[in-house]
Amino acid sequence: MRWLIPGIGVMLLVLVAGCGGAEWMHPTKPKDMFAQDWNKCQQDIALDPKLQQGLRYMTLEATERCVQKKGWVLVEQ
């Protein structure tokens, strides 16, 4: 049962990503800077002892929060 909730979250994320075109946008940075910010956030999160258990959904959420703090916004097309 413990795997069911993260599994549903991942399935919903895949469905949303597959159905609608969404893109990360920043008001002042070019699109090619997103990968650098995303990778930096992933590196920072890898050092967080609370997220070192390897739960992909939690890591993905933390990475998305990190890039949002850097000013990136997920915009549906």
Side-chain angles (χ1 to χ4, degrees):
M1 184 68 176
R2 290 183 355 185
W3 60 269
L4 184 60
I5 293 173
I8 291 172
V10 170
M11 287 187 333
L12 289 174
L13 183 64
V14 169
L15 287 173
V16 170
C19 294
E23 186 174 16
W24 287 97
M25 304 290 282
H26 194 283
T28 59
K29 293 182 180 180
K31 292 179 186 179
D32 59 343
M33 292 291 294
F34 175 74
Q36 291 176 356
D37 285 345
W38 181 272
N39 291 336
K40 176 68 173 132
C41 286
Q42 283 189 322
Q43 290 172 356
D44 293 345
I45 288 165
L47 300 175
D48 186 345
K50 292 180 279 185
L51 295 172
Q52 288 182 352
Q53 295 176 354
L55 298 174
R56 291 183 185 181
Y57 181 71
M58 289 176 59
T59 304
L60 177 62
E61 281 186 335
T63 305
E64 289 179 353
R65 282 191 307 270
C66 177
V67 294
Q68 287 171 349
K69 287 179 185 176
K70 293 179 182 279
W72 293 94
V73 179
L74 189 60
V75 178
E76 292 187 33
Q77 301 287 325

